[in-house]
């Protein structure tokens, strides 16, 4: 038993010794592993440090290079900008701002070829060379000449053979300086006269502007280079004369004066046929080269209008039916009754478009607007193709002749009024009224538009021949 216990003790001591040895080896191995890890970490840290140092140096190098590049680029841009500014300054210094060239192609009181005609006028009361309107001509040489030479205004050889004299012709401007012609020295017999003049034009480009101004009395037919330019013939019934050098725009279509001209020699031919009262003719033509001034005529004078008339007999201020004393009234008044029953009459395009049409001037006897028919409605459509362009104009104009008491509506909006209610003057000839631009633009639209006009004559002449346009200065 003791032997067995001894063996057990020996075995235990041996195992303890072995266990102690194993623990030491384990500890040594662990220490070795820790040392290896620490060495690896240290080496890694050293490597990271070196890498960071290298990156820092590289970043410094990059920053330095970028800075130098940016500085060089900025310097180059600055030099280029300075050079560009200098070039602009030099170019601007070389630019010469030129003003439009202005002048006259031919002037007032210049020389014209002329020929007068015997035309005895019998007035509306049957008196020879009387002043009563509504008369006629007898022994009319001028009518016979035109019948034989219907295109006399194209026959330059014929007109160039006529006598020459300096304008003015007649007794309105200054009788003491008027040309001595039978038209004024024998006014009872010589009511007809024709004129012819050549003139030179050097530029008909789109930037050139030409304007004709004329003093006429009366019944004027004006042709430029053989084409009808302006015709105003009241047939001894309505006013077809003016009182000064008015701007004369074409009323025979939508062409401008420039479109009638060509470079080089041009000519103008005019006939005047006086009925009674004063007589006159003179004209001049102005030009502006490099001009921005222009017109866009949306409705020209002499256009076709749809119309209807109203019976409205006038009782003058002295109680005389159809009398000429101011301050009267209409009795009965179909026009006022219609307006009262149709307050939106100015917007009733369906009714207006069914009316008959007639060519302006709408005057006494021309459309049934005579006798007790003192009321007149007019309707006219027109197109605006480029509204943005029209919005850029400087002003809108109503231009031409009217007599009297007018109201003008654009697409139902009233844009012009001149109504003296048979008390104050409300008629105009040769008007060029600047309209309220904002008001016009509030009503104007792209595409189809319309004007609706009311005219109410009281006494004397009656007339409507106005146009509507946009104007650029």
């Amino acid at each position: 038993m003791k032997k067995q216990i001894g063996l057990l003790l020996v075995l235990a001591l041996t195992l303890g010794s072995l266990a102690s040895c194993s623990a030491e080896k384990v500890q040594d191995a662990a220490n070795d592993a820790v040392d290896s890890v620490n060495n690896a970490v240290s080496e890694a840290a050293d490597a990271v440090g070196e890498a960071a140092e290298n990156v820092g140096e590289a970043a410094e190098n990059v920053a330095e290079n970028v800075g130098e590049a940016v500085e060089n680029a900025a310097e180059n841009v600055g030099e280029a900008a300075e050079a560009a500014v200098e070039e602009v300054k030099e170019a601007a210094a070389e630019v010469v701002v030129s003003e439009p060239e202005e002048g006259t192609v031919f002037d007032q009181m210049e020389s014209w070829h002329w020929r007068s005609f015997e035309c005895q006028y019998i007035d509306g009361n049957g008196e020879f060379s009387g002043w009563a309107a509504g008369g006629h001509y007898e022994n009319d040489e001028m009518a016979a000449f035109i019948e034989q030479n219907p295109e006399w205004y194209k026959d330059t050889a014929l007109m160039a053979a006529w006598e020459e004299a300096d304008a003015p012709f007649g007794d309105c401007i200054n009788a003491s300086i008027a040309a001595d012609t039978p038209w004024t020295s024998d006014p009872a017999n010589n009511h007809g006269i024709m004129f012819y003049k050549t003139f030179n034009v050097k530029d008909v480009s789109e930037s050139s502007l030409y304007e004709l101004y004329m003093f006429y009395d009366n019944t004027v037919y004006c042709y430029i280079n053989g084409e009808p330019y302006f015709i105003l013939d009241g047939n001894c019934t309505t006013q077809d004369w003016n009182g000064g050098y008015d701007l004369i725009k074409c009323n025979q279509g939508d062409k401008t004066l420039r479109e009638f001209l060509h470079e080089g020699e041009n000519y103008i031919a005019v006939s005047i046929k006086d009925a009674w009262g004063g007589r006159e003719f003179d004209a001049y033509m102005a030009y502006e080269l490099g001009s921005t001034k222009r017109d866009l005529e949306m409705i020209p004078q002499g256009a076709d209008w749809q119309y209807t008339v109203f019976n409205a007999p006038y009782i003058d201020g002295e109680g005389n039916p159809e009398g000429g004393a101011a301050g009267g009234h209409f009795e009965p008044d179909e026009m006022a009754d219609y307006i009262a029953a149709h307050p939106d009459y100015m917007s009733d395009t369906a009714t207006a478009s069914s009316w008959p049409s007639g060519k302006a001037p709408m005057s006494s006897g021309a459309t049934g607007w005579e006798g007790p028919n003192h009321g007149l409605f007019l309707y006219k459509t027109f197109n605006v193709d480029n509204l943005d362009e029209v919005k850029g104009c400087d002003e809108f104009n109503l231009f031409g002749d009217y007599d009297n008491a007018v109201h003008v509506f654009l697409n139902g909006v009233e844009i012009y009024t001149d109504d003296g209610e048979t008390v104050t003057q409300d008629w105009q000839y040769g008007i060029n009224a600047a309209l309220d631009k904002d008001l016009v633009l509030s009503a104007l639209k792209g595409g189809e538009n319309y004007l609706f006009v009311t005219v109410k004559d009281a006494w004397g002449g009656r007339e409507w021949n106005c146009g509507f346009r946009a104007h650029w200065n």
Side-chain angles (χ1 to χ4, degrees):
M1 184 65 173
K2 290 183 179 178
K3 184 178 179 178
Q4 292 177 338
I5 295 172
L7 290 172
L8 290 170
L9 288 173
V10 172
L11 179 60
L13 290 172
T14 302
L15 290 172
S17 176
L18 290 171
S20 176
C21 291
S22 297
E24 288 179 2
K25 289 180 180 180
V26 168
Q27 184 64 43
D28 291 341
N31 290 338
D32 291 341
V34 169
D35 290 340
S36 297
V37 169
N38 288 336
N39 290 335
V41 169
S42 176
E43 290 175 358
D46 291 340
V48 169
E50 290 178 4
E53 184 177 351
N54 292 335
V55 168
E57 291 178 357
E60 288 180 5
N61 292 335
V62 168
E64 183 176 352
N65 293 335
V66 169
E68 290 178 0
V70 169
E71 185 177 349
N72 292 336
E75 184 177 350
N76 293 336
V77 169
E79 292 176 356
E82 289 178 5
V85 169
E86 290 302 319
E87 288 180 6
V88 170
K89 287 181 179 179
E90 291 176 2
E94 294 176 357
V95 173
V96 177
V97 178
S98 58
E99 294 295 327
E101 178 188 338
E102 300 179 359
T104 54
V105 179
F106 59 86
D107 217 330
Q108 301 172 19
M109 303 183 185
E110 286 194 2
S111 178
W112 292 73
H113 292 272
W114 62 271
R115 174 180 172 174
S116 63
F117 300 86
E118 285 193 5
C119 309
Q120 288 83 36
Y121 180 69
I122 310 300
D123 74 4
N125 294 332
E127 295 182 11
F128 173 69
S129 200
W131 284 31
H136 64 281
Y137 297 95
E138 293 183 357
N139 303 319
D140 193 339
E141 287 185 353
M142 188 171 181
F145 174 81
I146 293 175
E147 185 177 358
Q148 294 175 4
N149 303 276
E151 294 189 326
W152 61 271
Y153 49 86
K154 295 182 179 180
D155 192 341
T156 56
L158 171 72
M159 296 183 290
W162 294 345
E163 295 186 55
E164 288 187 76
D166 290 339
F169 296 85
D171 54 11
C172 293
I173 298 174
N174 188 334
S176 65
I177 64 171
D180 183 15
T181 72
W183 191 47
T184 50
S185 61
D186 187 10
N189 294 296
N190 290 275
H191 286 274
I193 192 167
M194 292 178 173
F195 306 96
Y196 166 74
K197 184 177 186 62
T198 60
F199 56 92
N200 286 298
V201 170
K202 65 179 182 180
D203 185 352
V204 292
S205 62
E206 290 188 2
S207 63
S208 61
L209 172 72
Y210 292 89
E211 295 180 329
L212 178 65
Y213 295 83
M214 191 185 304
F215 196 141
Y216 58 88
D217 185 355
N218 58 295
T219 310
V220 59
Y221 284 69
C222 175
Y223 305 89
I224 296 182
N225 290 326
E227 292 186 68
Y229 178 76
F230 179 78
I231 295 174
L232 187 58
D233 187 347
N235 195 28
C236 309
T237 303
T238 58
Q239 179 174 330
D240 49 13
W241 63 90
N242 65 1
Y245 291 93
D246 291 338
L247 174 62
I248 307 298
K249 290 185 172 288
C250 175
N251 66 359
Q252 299 301 298
D254 58 0
K255 294 171 64 176
T256 66
L257 176 55
R258 178 183 63 82
E259 293 174 283
F260 283 79
L261 304 175
H262 52 255
E263 293 183 4
E265 186 173 273
N266 298 255
Y267 70 91
I268 177 172
V270 180
S271 73
I272 299 284
K273 199 170 189 180
D274 177 65
W276 47 273
R279 52 187 65 188
E280 194 66 37
F281 173 75
D282 193 12
Y284 71 92
M285 186 179 292
Y287 72 89
E288 183 176 317
L289 304 182
S291 174
T292 58
K293 185 188 299 182
R294 66 186 180 94
D295 290 324
L296 175 62
E297 289 192 357
M298 290 169 275
I299 299 179
Q301 282 186 279
D304 288 323
W305 292 76
Q306 291 176 278
Y307 69 92
T308 190
V309 297
F310 294 91
N311 183 53
Y314 180 69
I315 311 300
D316 74 4
E318 297 175 354
N320 299 316
E322 299 299 310
H329 64 282
F330 300 93
E331 183 184 332
D333 193 338
E334 286 185 356
M335 183 168 166
D337 293 342
Y338 183 89
I339 290 174
H342 304 83
D344 294 327
Y345 67 96
M346 76 294 291
S347 302
D348 187 359
T349 58
T351 298
S353 61
S354 68
W355 296 338
S357 64
K359 186 177 180 62
M362 298 286 183
S363 53
S364 300
T367 61
W369 189 35
E370 59 185 347
N373 292 313
H374 287 274
L376 177 68
F377 280 0
L378 297 150
Y379 173 74
K380 174 72 176 173
T381 61
F382 64 93
N383 286 304
V384 173
D385 297 326
N386 189 334
L387 184 60
D388 289 337
E389 176 192 17
V390 175
K391 285 180 178 179
C393 74
D394 294 295
E395 64 183 31
F396 293 95
N397 301 129
L398 181 74
F399 63 98
D401 311 316
Y402 62 79
D403 185 357
N404 58 298
V406 304
H407 296 257
V408 180
F409 301 86
L410 170 60
N411 296 330
V413 176
E414 190 161 9
I415 60 172
Y416 183 80
T417 306
D418 185 6
D419 189 348
E421 297 183 346
T422 70
V423 176
T424 59
Q425 178 174 333
D426 48 11
W427 60 91
Q428 298 287 340
Y429 287 85
I431 188 176
N432 186 36
L435 306 175
D436 185 322
K437 182 179 177 181
D438 291 336
L439 183 61
V440 171
L441 288 177
S442 72
L444 195 67
K445 58 187 180 181
E448 185 173 272
N449 297 257
Y450 69 89
L451 283 191
F452 192 106
V453 181
T454 71
V455 187
K456 200 170 188 180
D457 174 73
W459 49 272
R462 53 187 70 177
E463 185 86 20
W464 173 262
N465 189 19
C466 282
F468 175 61
R469 65 181 168 227
H471 176 74
W472 285 259
N473 293 329

